[in-house]
Amino acid sequence: MKLYQVRKGQFVYYNNELHKIYGVKPMYKQSVHLIRLRDLTQHLTKAVSVERYKPKDLDSFVFNHKVYTLRNDRKAEAGDYILINNPMPDSLDTYSLNEIDLIETADNKGVITSNSHGIKHNEYLLMVPGRANGSTPIDYQDIEKVDEESLKDLDPQNLDLRANEVLPSLGDVYKKKDNHAFFEAMVVAIKDQTVYLGGGIEITADELMINDKWEFQYNLLDK
């Protein structure tokens, strides 16, 4: 359905592709900030241009170049990814709708994520690697409108090749090596093959991967 009031975390279709809202800034003309789930690129649009989708059991989609199927019939274990589709945080918790998180530990009561979130088992859907038989692909709202080249991107073999590439991610901090003065910059946005670093620097992903020029330090989200 068309959304005129949007909130952070909602899954939406924009330009026929699955995205997640990561921010809403009403003071701007393009107030809705999106992340395209298949490659984590960022996009700006208006609320009227997106349509909400509520993820459910046995939906499958590509997240960061890897395909997953959502399941509610098993509990997460250490090393699994989860989608927090039913958040019920306590007053001191900071997690929110449809966060995707990595599990550090699990027990009968719930799980602890890599972001130190304590999540009960009824708050999430497990993200099982692969596109399970009988699952519903939700990467596109209308598959009939997708061109052949984009469909090739969903091929498991092509996804595996991309997943094995070392690609920059939001929050990555890099140190510039061919510079006499100490200089570090963080990845603040990615669009297609262009990486935007703090300080207004634009660079291609390939150039950022040249070890003689840039050295990865850490990801701010892991701190």
Side-chain angles (χ1 to χ4, degrees), residues 102-221:
L102 179 67
I103 302 305
E104 291 282 352
T105 61
D107 58 27
N108 290 332
K109 294 182 179 180
V111 298
I112 303 296
T113 74
S114 58
N115 289 322
S116 300
H117 295 147
I119 313 292
K120 295 181 286 293
H121 289 301
N122 63 345
E123 294 184 79
Y124 66 81
L125 291 169
L126 178 63
M127 294 173 59
V128 179
R131 207 179 291 275
N133 291 333
S135 67
T136 302
I138 61 171
D139 306 275
Y140 295 98
Q141 186 177 24
D142 186 351
I143 197 69
E144 299 296 329
K145 296 180 180 179
V146 182
D147 59 64
E148 186 176 346
E149 193 64 30
S150 295
L151 287 176
K152 287 181 180 179
D153 288 341
L154 297 182
D155 184 275
Q157 291 184 336
N158 293 333
L159 288 170
D160 287 341
L161 289 174
R162 287 178 173 83
N164 289 330
E165 295 176 352
V166 180
L167 298 173
S169 300
L170 297 180
D172 282 353
V173 175
Y174 287 86
K175 182 175 72 174
K176 191 169 178 60
K177 298 177 70 174
D178 57 349
N179 193 337
H180 295 298
F182 179 79
F183 179 78
E184 285 187 347
M186 185 179 73
V187 177
V188 296
I190 302 171
K191 185 174 182 180
D192 297 325
Q193 289 299 310
T194 303
V195 179
Y196 299 87
L197 302 176
I201 300 172
E202 296 183 21
I203 190 173
T204 66
D206 289 339
E207 186 175 354
L208 192 58
M209 294 296 101
I210 298 176
N211 292 330
D212 291 339
K213 292 186 176 182
W214 294 90
E215 181 181 9
F216 173 76
Q217 301 297 296
Y218 57 88
N219 186 286
L220 192 65
L221 300 178

